[in-house]
Amino acid sequence: MSVDRRSVCSGLAALAALGPSRLEAAGGFDAMVRHRGGTHDSLAAALAAAPPGDRPWRILLGRGKWEEKLAVRRPNLVLVGEDRRTSVLSASAAAGQAKPGGGSWGTYGSATLTVEAPGFVARNLTIENGFDYVANLRDRRVEGAQAVALALGDAADRSVIESVDLLGHQDTFYLRAGRAAVRDCLIAGSIDFIFGGAAALFERCEIRSRLRPGETLQGYVAAPSTPRAQPIGFVFDHCRLTREPGLPDGSVWLGRPWRAGGNPALLGAAAWLDCWMDAHVAPEGWTWMGYKGPGGYPMRLEPGDARFFEYRSRGPGGGRHAARRQLGDAQAARFRRVLGDWRP
């Protein structure tokens, strides 16, 4: 079944602008999750009610904090918040913590919301991982402390994330595979908080680095693990790189190349196009990342060996440091076509 995604998204934008009472009258949703007066009292129940098939299933998430840890496995699932700031989907799981039924969470398994189907749309809400990362810096009870808010899995493709706040610390947004259009979002974190192998276009997003109290190194924004055969990975277009109060100048790297599992078929790719950067961005921009090579020997992938680029960066953290490779006009235009023939 063919789905016109542009008409779906524009229609949802018009519906969300109506306000809660008129939304119901408009009849634009298949399910409404509310503490009172909805069709369901949990998002899990609304997801379970979706019938098989490919037609879009539209869910309105009402105001409130919905403490649920969920996976989307149905194609063309559309999730719209009643209010961006107060419609909050939240869980608190981190890699290394015990999970129900035995064992412990891994990075991917820690996600508050995991998408394992194509055609997913999220709009006008907040998704957070509430794991207390700052407290863990003090007591180190959890090793690693990867805690994902949103994960787009291997079966995800043509995902649209629009006007969403994604909040976490380490590994906030895991774009594992597929294509994603991310627009007008706030993405907040500290360590590798936008990472994975997807082809993704981030447009007009605020990328906010969070304070790690007492730490000299404050973090890394992106950690792409792009397949070597994939020409373009993450593209940040007209985004703003901001910081929490107290975060020092020059203490955050634009990113580092993640070679997941030491796989030589992965070679990180990312580009920052027409972005404004505050002074917390390190002058050199990019840095290396370690991995285990054949036989388990420690190795490192240098940023110069990966595919990292910039184009017309502005602000106190922008500029033309020798280590930050620049694109020309034609090259930047090609990077903006990262999504190929998909026009969300």
Side-chain angles (χ1 to χ4, degrees), residues 213-239:
E215 301 293 316
T216 302
L217 172 67
Q218 286 295 315
Y220 316 88
V221 176
S225 58
T226 320
R228 189 184 291 267
Q230 180 179 307
I232 306 175
F234 297 161
V235 177
F236 300 87
D237 187 6
H238 285 87
C239 294

Side-chain angles (χ1 to χ4, degrees), residues 31 33 40 42-51 57 59 70-72 74 77 113:
V33 180
H40 301 82
S42 72
L43 182 54
L47 290 174
W57 180 258
I59 300 174
L70 301 168
V72 173
R74 185 194 185 279
L77 193 289
L113 184 65

Side-chain angles (χ1 to χ4, degrees), residues 1 3 30 51-58 74-77:
M1 178 179 178
V3 177
D30 300 289
D54 290 335
R55 83 162 181 87
W57 180 258
R58 301 173 176 90
R74 185 194 185 279
N76 301 320
L77 193 289

Side-chain angles (χ1 to χ4, degrees), residues 278-318:
D278 206 346
H280 63 295
V281 174
E284 298 84 358
W286 306 92
T287 190
W288 60 274
M289 192 169 189
Y291 67 96
K292 290 185 178 179
Y297 294 105
M299 301 183 73
R300 50 194 271 177
L301 185 58
E302 300 290 343
D305 296 324
R307 297 170 288 175
F308 295 154
F309 304 98
E310 285 179 76
Y311 174 72
R312 299 196 309 196
S313 296
R314 308 181 308 281

Side-chain angles (χ1 to χ4, degrees), residues 149-174:
L150 176 62
L152 305 179
D154 291 333
D157 188 32
R158 295 175 287 105
S159 302
V160 175
I161 315 299
E162 186 173 25
S163 300
V164 172
D165 290 358
L166 298 174
L167 310 180
H169 250 284
Q170 183 167 346
D171 293 4
T172 304
F173 191 9
Y174 192 175

Side-chain angles (χ1 to χ4, degrees), residues 68-80:
E68 303 183 62
K69 190 175 186 302
L70 301 168
V72 173
R73 296 185 174 88
R74 185 194 185 279
N76 301 320
L77 193 289
V78 179
L79 179 61
V80 179

Side-chain angles (χ1 to χ4, degrees), residues 61-225:
L61 186 68
R63 291 182 175 89
K65 190 168 187 177
W66 302 91
E67 296 188 6
E68 303 183 62
K69 190 175 186 302
L70 301 168
V72 173
R73 296 185 174 88
R74 185 194 185 279
N76 301 320
L77 193 289
V78 179
L79 179 61
V80 179
E82 193 170 13
D83 180 84
R84 177 170 174 171
R85 300 287 184 259
T86 63
S87 296
V88 181
L89 181 63
S90 179
S92 299
Q97 284 185 324
K99 63 180 181 180
S104 58
W105 298 115
T107 299
Y108 185 69
S110 72
T112 298
L113 184 65
T114 303
V115 179
E116 297 177 342
F120 175 73
V121 176
R123 192 174 182 279
N124 200 49
L125 74 153
T126 294
I127 304 171
E128 68 174 14
N129 191 312
F131 171 71
D132 196 340
Y133 181 87
V134 173
N136 196 68
L137 283 176
R138 296 191 296 266
D139 57 37
R140 305 288 178 175
R141 292 185 180 181
V142 178
E143 185 177 354
Q146 296 91 346
V148 178
L150 176 62
L152 305 179
D154 291 333
D157 188 32
R158 295 175 287 105
S159 302
V160 175
I161 315 299
E162 186 173 25
S163 300
V164 172
D165 290 358
L166 298 174
L167 310 180
H169 250 284
Q170 183 167 346
D171 293 4
T172 304
F173 191 9
Y174 192 175
L175 299 97
R176 192 167 182 170
R179 293 166 292 176
V182 186
R183 300 171 176 148
D184 302 306
C185 291
L186 165 65
I187 308 168
S190 56
I191 301 293
D192 302 330
F193 62 99
I194 303 173
F195 69 114
L201 179 61
F202 299 80
E203 296 181 281
R204 303 178 303 276
C205 293
E206 180 185 353
I207 313 295
R208 183 185 299 166
S209 289
R210 302 189 65 184
L211 181 66
R212 302 173 70 227
E215 301 293 316
T216 302
L217 172 67
Q218 286 295 315
Y220 316 88
V221 176
S225 58

